[in-house]
Amino acid sequence: TQPIALPLREGFGSVDSVSCFRQLDQCDSPEVLVAEIARVLRPGGLLLLTVPNGNLEALLQPWFQVEMQQALDSPDQRLLICTRNKKPC
């Protein structure tokens, strides 16, 4: 796996959108990555990510609402569009 620089430099709730492609299935601690994205993304902000087929949506549930799912050309990946929950965790 390739290293992912955590923690992110951005402050709490300081960004409007985050894109994350083919990272959740590549990092050793996807729950840490999702928590860090949730930290920097403002409430109501947009997360666009790809996830492997399986049940990684459970990692998103505390922080994000999945708005849309789309199958991709890659048979093992799906695109998710999520919004950051307005309530702080």
Side-chain angles (χ1 to χ4, degrees):
T1 62
Q2 294 188 354
I4 297 172
L6 293 175
L8 300 173
R9 295 184 315 233
E10 291 74 18
F12 287 87
S14 62
V15 297
D16 293 327
S17 63
V18 172
S19 58
C20 180
F21 301 110
R22 297 195 65 94
Q23 293 300 309
L24 289 181
D25 55 335
Q26 299 295 321
C27 68
D28 293 331
S29 301
E31 63 281 350
V32 173
L33 177 58
V34 170
E36 188 64 4
I37 290 170
R39 182 187 70 79
V40 301
L41 192 60
R42 70 166 174 79
L46 184 68
L47 171 61
L48 180 66
L49 76 159
T50 56
V51 296
N53 289 328
N55 194 21
L56 281 182
E57 286 89 346
L59 290 174
L60 302 172
Q61 286 178 355
W63 297 286
F64 297 97
Q65 174 68 37
V66 176
E67 303 293 341
M68 189 187 95
Q69 295 188 44
Q70 177 67 46
L72 299 174
D73 289 338
S74 174
D76 64 335
Q77 292 282 311
R78 289 172 292 131
L79 175 70
L80 299 181
I81 298 175
C82 308
T83 53
R84 174 75 163 85
N85 291 337
K86 303 225 185 247
K87 295 184 203 174
C89 298

